[in-house]
Amino acid sequence: MKKRLYLLIILFAFCGFAQNKQVLYNFTAVPQSMMTNPGADFKYNWYAGIPLLSGISANVGSSGFAAYDLFANDGIDFNTKLRNVVMTTNRNDKLAVNQQMEIFSGGFKIPGADRDASNTYVSFGIYQEFDMMNFMPKDLAILALEGNGNYLGKIFDLGDLNTKAELLSVWHIGAHKNITKNFIVGARAKIYSSIFNANSTKNSGYIYTGPSNLGVYDQSIYANMQLNTSGLAKYDDENNDSDVVKDITKGVMLGGNLGFGFDAGFTYYPTQNIQITGSILDVGFINHTKDVENYTLKGRYNYRGVVPSFSSGASAENIYKEFQDAIPLDTINTKFTTWRPIKLNTSFQYSFDEDSEEDCNCDGNGSDVVYKSAVGAQLFVMSTPRMPMAAFTTYFSRKILKGLQAKATYTIDSFSSRNIGLGLFTTAGPVNFYLIADNLLEYRDVTKANSLSFQLGLNVIVK
């Protein structure tokens, strides 16, 4: 039990403050922008991320409610607040958490015969990621809070339970190439090493109590539910002397359950100051074969009589035994496969205010002309176990000084309709520092925020 508690503490320590990186996307002054589009127009000669500090990002989003709704010091009983949250949300509301930390990263240019149009850029690295998504189990929450006494005739949907969480490392290598002066394509191969995984996303079933005027009820329960886990089973054994930190380190070094995936992207310039980009990320899977444990609740139970109480008396014990026999909690060891959440990005950008003093096209432009300013729009879509997540962003970027650039964004998504973000990039010699945050209006009281995110990092860059 202590080991499992320790493991949960470590997992939540990884969770900082869902995976849309709208400020970083196409912010090509920052090397990590290539992780959002392997075909980004990125022109530094080489860069090296400072280990463990080059890319740290965290994002949490909750649709339907904020922390303030549950924990405000307003004299209202917590149970009342919890009930209000449950009643005002729906089964498509969600809590999403994503955190990433680059362990190391780097990249370098391979000049082509035509230095203006045939350069190839190679990038590589390792990062650790925690990813969690939990949809609101509305029917189950109502049943747990209020029981079924006031809901005779209602079908409680067990399929509302939809949750997943995973800690993994990703090893990657990619390349992008100028096919022509105005068209760049890129791709990245990935090896996933899943350290811990728990998912329950394909549940079905119902709980139904039929009404009656005679004090007799027809009750029916059908369950087809399963929780899959990997990397966690050994911690159920009190005699197991595994070290959680060592297990995480081993998993990072490809000792976990392995999988493969890829990213792809492009940048195209119809004219020298108009840019179109697109990318698809994390098309991949993980095969879970090590330390696998699955928990199932499958079966059907029917009862006719007064509403049973499982808390007292011999009759209650008999009813509970019948229920357990009809819908047993089984533990099995069956390998399973999970798919990574696929992300799609596309953007349109118009650049203006030509910069005649710039000696490096590090803002991203398919021609020799460099612009100080740009406006654009970006669309982001991500797959989830229930329904896709989408976000639309408009932005303005500006080169303020030779060593200082900024990007401001306005985003509408399922978490917020007034998300304003800001990214800053600065250099001191070869050292580059960037800082990105969004939902800036909510920092006046973060407890009322539906989503928050930040990103920061340090790199060494040679132009």
Side-chain angles (χ1 to χ4, degrees):
M1 178 63 71
K2 290 181 179 179
K3 290 178 182 176
R4 279 178 285 177
L5 179 60
Y6 184 35
L7 176 60
L8 288 174
I9 292 173
I10 289 179
L11 285 174
F12 281 105
F14 275 121
C15 300
F17 278 13
Q19 298 191 29
N20 182 19
K21 297 183 177 181
Q22 67 272 19
V23 184
L24 185 63
Y25 185 80
N26 210 31
F27 195 12
T28 53
V30 180
Q32 280 68 28
S33 64
M34 287 192 295
M35 296 304 297
T36 63
N37 181 4
D41 188 4
F42 183 82
K43 296 188 182 328
Y44 294 127
N45 284 323
W46 65 266
Y47 81 94
I50 296 177
L52 302 179
L53 296 176
S54 60
I56 300 172
S57 68
N59 185 313
V60 63
S62 171
S63 64
F65 69 97
Y68 182 85
D69 297 326
L70 289 173
F71 303 108
N73 185 17
D74 54 9
I76 300 176
D77 181 72
F78 177 80
N79 291 331
T80 301
K81 295 176 184 177
L82 181 59
R83 183 183 183 280
N84 290 339
V85 166
V86 170
M87 294 304 174
T88 56
T89 54
N90 62 64
R91 69 190 305 268
N92 291 322
D93 284 317
K94 54 195 169 290
L95 171 66
V97 178
N98 179 262
Q99 171 271 334
Q100 291 184 1
M101 179 177 66
E102 279 192 347
I103 297 172
F104 76 83
S105 65
F108 57 90
K109 181 192 295 184
I110 303 175
D114 181 352
R115 295 181 64 87
D116 290 331
S118 59
N119 290 322
T120 299
Y121 204 93
V122 176
S123 61
F124 53 87
I126 305 173
Y127 64 88
Q128 163 271 321
E129 179 174 359
F130 176 82
D131 189 29
M132 183 195 77
M133 179 167 287
N134 180 53
F135 284 91
M136 178 66 180
K138 174 130 186 176
D139 278 6
L140 292 175
I142 292 174
L143 191 61
L145 289 172
E146 300 194 347
N148 62 352
N150 295 325
Y151 295 92
L152 299 181
K154 175 179 172 58
I155 297 175
F156 290 90
D157 187 358
L158 300 182
D160 278 3
L161 180 62
N162 191 314
T163 185
K164 65 172 186 173
E166 185 165 38
L167 179 67
L168 73 159
S169 68
V170 182
W171 295 56
H172 61 89
I173 183 169
H176 81 234
K177 183 176 179 60
N178 292 65
I179 303 301
T180 67
K181 192 173 183 179
N182 298 327
F183 186 48
I184 305 165
V185 296
R188 178 182 299 110
K190 292 181 171 180
I191 300 176
Y192 305 110
S193 178
S194 176
I195 303 166
F196 305 117
N197 179 283
N199 73 86
S200 184
T201 61
K202 297 180 179 180
N203 298 307
S204 62
Y206 59 85
I207 297 175
Y208 171 79
T209 303
S212 171
N213 295 323
L214 303 175
V216 177
Y217 300 90
D218 289 320
Q219 303 194 48
S220 178
I221 303 174
Y222 166 69
N224 183 16
M225 308 178 74
Q226 182 162 323
L227 170 65
N228 299 317
T229 71
S230 67
L232 297 170
K234 56 179 171 285
Y235 301 105
D236 286 332
D237 185 357
E238 294 292 343
N239 298 319
N240 184 280
D241 59 355
S242 298
D243 186 297
V244 176
V245 176
K246 288 183 179 179
D247 289 343
I248 292 175
T249 303
K250 178 182 176 182
V252 169
M253 304 306 293
L254 299 181
N257 290 289
L258 300 181
F260 303 94
F262 73 88
D263 305 338
F266 73 92
T267 298
Y268 173 61
Y269 292 92
T271 65
Q272 67 180 14
N273 68 329
I274 294 178
Q275 179 198 70
I276 299 171
T277 74
S279 68
I280 182 169
L281 308 176
D282 279 322
V283 182
F285 64 92
I286 299 174
N287 282 326
H288 299 266
T289 59
K290 303 175 184 177
D291 197 21
V292 172
E293 197 162 79
N294 324 90
Y295 305 94
T296 66
L297 274 174
K298 296 184 178 182
R300 188 184 298 273
Y301 175 73
N302 293 291
Y303 176 82
R304 183 177 179 84
V306 295
V307 179
S309 169
F310 294 146
S311 60
S312 64
S315 176
E317 291 180 4
N318 293 334
I319 295 172
Y320 187 50
K321 182 64 167 61
E322 291 177 5
F323 173 81
Q324 288 182 308
D325 291 341
I327 308 179
L329 174 61
D330 288 333
T331 302
I332 57 178
N333 303 99
T334 303
K335 63 183 181 180
F336 60 95
T337 299
T338 57
W339 292 88
R340 298 293 295 149
I342 297 174
K343 279 83 71 177
L344 296 171
N345 291 282
T346 185
S347 72
F348 175 88
Q349 177 176 292
Y350 171 78
S351 301
F352 57 97
D353 193 6
E354 184 175 332
D355 183 6
S356 59
E357 297 181 359
E358 180 61 70
D359 58 357
C360 170
N361 182 13
C362 302
D363 292 325
N365 189 303
S367 70
D368 295 329
V369 179
V370 177
Y371 298 93
K372 292 183 180 180
S373 303
V375 293
Q378 177 210 348
L379 177 65
F380 168 83
V381 180
M382 185 180 80
S383 65
T384 77
R386 181 162 290 168
M387 60 184 301
M389 289 174 55
F392 179 75
T393 299
T394 58
Y395 63 86
F396 170 73
S397 63
R398 172 74 178 175
K399 176 189 170 184
I400 301 171
L401 300 170
K402 187 172 183 178
L404 178 63
Q405 298 182 47
K407 181 179 179 180
T409 62
Y410 172 72
T411 300
I412 299 174
D413 58 22
S414 59
F415 301 112
S416 174
S417 60
R418 57 174 191 171
N419 184 347
I420 295 176
L422 180 64
L424 295 174
F425 164 90
T426 185
T427 58
V431 179
N432 142 264
F433 172 74
Y434 68 94
L435 176 64
I436 294 171
D438 72 357
N439 246 314
L440 298 179
L441 297 178
E442 304 297 342
Y443 279 82
R444 294 170 296 183
D445 186 351
V446 296
T447 64
K448 295 181 180 179
N450 286 101
S451 67
L452 290 171
S453 74
F454 74 87
Q455 302 162 65
L456 57 87
L458 284 167
N459 299 287
V460 176
I461 294 174
V462 173
K463 297 183 177 182

